[in-house]
């Protein structure tokens, strides 16, 4: 695959978290979140995207979401737990993605709102089918993901260069 071939990035919000008496970073998944994370993993597998790389926030809820989702994958991609994803703005997430090595063609980023939804809105200059309509109607609930496609190297990822090709949320 060359740099000219389309790349895909999946922006995946962590599943529903519980609210025990711990710091925000340490919040675990709720029971519904554990169920939704596994379902999201099956839906990600259904996309047929062979992921090369997963970038996951270091929070407990994102790590648990990823562990349950990736269990559904036929092959586990390289996973990097990245503290910069926690509480990141869309601009900070773009800067992080710009650091992705070009030998990674398809990546999934497991993060938080409002950053994940904001990044989806900023990157998607166009959309296929009804993906944009469904995203606009549902927002970005826990365990939702957006699939975007773009051409070029990761260093060229910037606002409006991607196409929103799919969107999924629990109860879709």
């Amino acid at each position: 695959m060359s740099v000219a071939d389309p790349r895909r990035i999946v922006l995946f919000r962590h599943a529903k978290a519980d609210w025990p008496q711990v710091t925000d970073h340490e919040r675990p998944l709720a029971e519904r979140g554990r169920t939704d994370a596994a379902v999201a993993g099956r839906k990600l597998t259904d996309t047929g995207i062979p992921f090369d790389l997963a970038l996951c926030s270091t929070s407990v809820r994102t790590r648990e979401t990823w562990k349950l989702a990736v269990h559904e994958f036929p092959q586990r991609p390289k996973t990097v737990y990245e503290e910069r994803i926690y509480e990141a703005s869309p601009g900070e997430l773009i800067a992080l993605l710009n650091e992705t090595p070009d030998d990674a063609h398809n990546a999934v980023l497991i993060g938080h709102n409002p950053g994940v939804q904001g990044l989806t809105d900023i990157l998607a200059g166009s959309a296929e089918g009804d993906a944009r309509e469904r995203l606009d109607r549902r927002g970005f609930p826990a365990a939702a993901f957006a699939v975007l496609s773009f051409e070029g190297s990761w260093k060229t990822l910037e606002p409006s260069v991607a196409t929103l090709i799919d969107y999924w949320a629990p109860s879709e």
Side-chain angles (χ1 to χ4, degrees), residues 121-152:
D121 291 339
I122 288 169
L123 291 178
S126 62
E128 292 182 357
D130 67 346
R132 170 59 74 182
E133 178 186 314
R134 290 184 294 119
L135 173 62
D136 290 345
R137 184 177 63 247
R138 294 287 323 274
F140 226 104
F145 63 82
V147 181
L148 297 116
S149 176
F150 72 99
E151 294 182 7

Side-chain angles (χ1 to χ4, degrees), residues 35-102:
T35 300
D36 288 350
V39 172
R42 288 190 291 279
K43 293 296 184 180
L44 282 167
T45 298
D46 290 347
T47 68
I49 298 170
F51 292 103
D52 304 303
L53 178 66
L55 298 170
C56 184
S57 167
T58 57
S59 77
V60 169
R61 61 192 177 273
T62 50
R63 289 180 301 160
E64 288 180 347
T65 297
W66 180 236
K67 181 180 177 183
L68 292 164
V70 77
H71 182 73
E72 303 294 329
F73 285 33
Q75 184 174 343
R76 182 185 180 105
K78 176 183 177 185
T79 300
V80 176
Y81 294 97
E82 176 56 66
E83 64 187 26
R84 293 179 291 169
I85 296 172
Y86 182 71
E87 295 185 339
S89 69
E92 291 166 329
L93 293 171
I94 289 173
L96 176 68
L97 289 167
N98 288 156
E99 297 173 11
T100 302
D102 280 332

